[in-house]
Amino acid sequence: MSQTVSNGDLVEVETRIGNNTFHAGTRIPERPTDDSLRPKDREQHTVPPNSLLWKYMGDPFVLGAVGQRAAIIENMWPQLGQGVSDHSVLVSRGDFKSLRERAANTLKTIGGVVYATPEQATKFGIQVRNFHKSIKGEMPNGRRYHALDAETFYWAHVTFFELIYRASELGVIDLSRDEKEQIFEESKHWWSMYGVDDRAQPETYADYEKYITHVKEHDLIDMGIAQYTAGSAKTADYFVRAMPKKYQRVAKVASPAVAAMLRITTMGHFEPELLERLRLTEYWTKKDQRRYRRLIKALRIGRIVSTRLHLPVEARYMPFAAKAFRREGINPDDITLESARQ
């Protein structure tokens, strides 16, 4: 749970730190520590192949419903947002190559922690953690941040498996409470792979529900880097700028259609209070809402049809997930709550 608010947490005037801007009235708790565990204190538990996390994390129908949600709500956490602002080449360069490389690296490492063989997954987990060792810096009011502070790094972890819960709330998949509890228990295995102190991790799914409500109400803020990440909700300019120069003319022609799609996939999944906090409400129209509902319906139907047609996993899952299912000889349709509990 978040730390107690002190007077030093309050940003009294708009403050710019590097490429990021913090607005007056924002509260930023102190989270400066590197909470990496020493090897003798680590207990890594791989995510089992018959888990519900395996079934849903690599499902493109689930991921298609939530667009850039993980990146945006990650960058609404003050310390994570500042870390991305200070250290991400995507922010400093903003080109198509950097975007492609960032996506590929994220899929390889984060996907590897879940779907790789136990030996590889163990290495990927520590690799992800060690990559964040040097991500630290200054915050307003003389505060400091470190990406491996337990609270900060745990929120980064949450932003990935939280997507499954959100897809269920939106109606792409149907999860019972028992299944949600099981996914949360599996997320503990996933977290253990990083070798970071677990003091910020809730004990039960019921505790997690309180945690996520508190974070959304009190910890996620609007700031410069959050606006940058959510920028595609307003315009397709970033899409045009990110393309190689030889394709930018074509990209400009296609930008109105791209902008419409980016807008609904960037904003449609947001809870009203987060949409308002990011000052995106004025960009979200009733027409957009109808389009997003149609998208959700299409994703739900597409997922059901592809399952009933017994399409190969390569046609129904992200490549890293399909490869893992083939390697383990598992049909994801056979994964149930009961099998996941075994």
Side-chain angles (χ1 to χ4, degrees):
M1 192 64 69
S2 299
Q3 299 173 356
T4 302
V5 172
S6 70
N7 291 336
D9 294 344
L10 183 65
V11 179
E12 296 183 349
V13 297
E14 185 170 296
T15 304
R16 187 170 180 85
I17 305 289
N19 294 318
N20 196 16
T21 301
F22 294 88
H23 304 301
T26 299
R27 293 191 178 275
I28 303 175
E30 183 95 70
R31 296 178 178 127
T33 58
D34 179 348
D35 288 308
S36 302
L37 297 175
R38 292 176 294 181
K40 69 182 185 67
D41 297 323
R42 294 199 302 254
E43 291 187 21
Q44 292 173 283
H45 304 283
T46 56
V47 180
N50 62 338
S51 63
L52 295 180
L53 275 178
W54 268 53
K55 183 169 186 173
Y56 294 116
M57 271 307 301
D59 186 330
F61 297 101
V62 169
L63 300 177
V66 292
Q68 301 180 68
R69 181 180 178 87
I72 297 172
I73 62 175
E74 178 178 310
N75 288 342
M76 291 179 73
W77 183 277
Q79 291 77 14
L80 285 172
Q82 189 60 44
V84 169
S85 176
D86 288 344
H87 298 273
S88 174
V89 296
L90 190 58
V91 174
S92 60
R93 297 178 189 171
D95 57 20
F96 186 77
K97 181 180 179 182
S98 300
L99 182 64
R100 184 182 59 201
E101 289 176 352
R102 171 69 184 273
N105 289 336
T106 299
L107 289 175
K108 179 181 178 181
T109 53
I110 301 298
V113 177
V114 176
Y115 287 101
T117 63
E119 181 180 355
Q120 292 175 317
T122 299
K123 292 179 180 178
F124 274 130
I126 300 305
Q127 178 183 332
V128 170
R129 186 201 68 183
N130 288 345
F131 174 81
H132 292 84
K133 277 279 190 180
S134 62
I135 299 179
K136 53 188 176 180
E138 297 180 357
M139 301 288 286
N141 297 348
R143 295 285 172 90
R144 308 267 319 163
Y145 75 88
H146 199 296
L148 291 176
D149 180 270
E151 288 187 90
T152 294
F153 203 62
Y154 184 69
W155 175 247
H157 171 59
V158 168
T159 63
F160 288 99
F161 71 84
E162 186 267 353
L163 301 180
I164 302 174
Y165 295 142
R166 189 58 180 154
S168 176
E169 292 167 355
L170 293 167
V172 177
I173 56 176
D174 297 314
L175 293 176
S176 66
R177 183 169 184 83
D178 286 344
E179 288 172 321
K180 292 176 182 177
E181 291 175 350
Q182 177 64 26
I183 288 171
F184 177 71
E185 291 302 314
E186 293 167 0
S187 79
K188 293 181 180 180
H189 287 248
W190 186 354
W191 174 252
S192 76
M193 300 297 287
Y194 297 121
V196 177
D197 190 290
D198 66 356
R199 70 173 186 270
Q201 180 172 249
E203 286 292 326
T204 66
Y205 178 68
D207 293 332
Y208 167 81
E209 289 181 304
K210 297 174 184 177
Y211 163 85
I212 197 72
T213 298
H214 186 276
V215 168
K216 289 177 182 178
E217 289 180 356
H218 300 287
D219 290 321
L220 302 187
I221 67 171
D222 178 34
M223 54 183 166
I225 189 63
Q227 287 293 325
Y228 176 86
T229 314
S232 59
K234 304 174 184 178
T235 174
D237 287 350
Y238 180 77
F239 163 76
V240 175
R241 293 197 311 270
M243 295 297 289
K245 287 187 177 180
K246 62 181 179 179
Y247 297 127
Q248 286 190 355
R249 182 174 297 180
V250 175
K252 287 181 180 178
V253 174
S255 62
V258 172
M261 179 56 68
L262 288 174
R263 189 165 58 250
I264 65 170
T265 56
T266 300
M267 294 193 287
H269 54 78
F270 272 127
E271 298 84 339
E273 62 271 23
L274 294 184
L275 202 64
E276 182 175 355
R277 196 169 308 160
L278 286 169
R279 294 173 288 145
L280 294 175
T281 306
E282 64 181 288
Y283 299 97
W284 186 241
T285 67
K286 291 183 178 180
K287 185 176 181 180
D288 291 330
Q289 181 65 41
R290 291 193 297 269
R291 285 176 172 173
Y292 186 68
R293 287 173 180 167
R294 288 196 292 268
L295 173 64
I296 293 298
K297 184 176 181 180
L299 290 169
R300 179 180 177 87
I301 293 172
R303 188 174 187 277
I304 292 171
V305 170
S306 64
T307 300
R308 290 180 178 175
L309 292 177
H310 302 291
L311 296 181
V313 290
E314 289 81 3
R316 296 191 289 130
Y317 278 86
M318 301 298 289
F320 58 86
K323 180 180 179 181
F325 283 125
R326 290 295 188 196
R327 184 188 70 236
E328 299 295 331
I330 292 176
N331 182 346
D333 298 335
D334 294 335
I335 298 176
T336 64
L337 175 61
E338 289 69 29
S339 68
R341 283 175 168 173
Q342 294 177 359

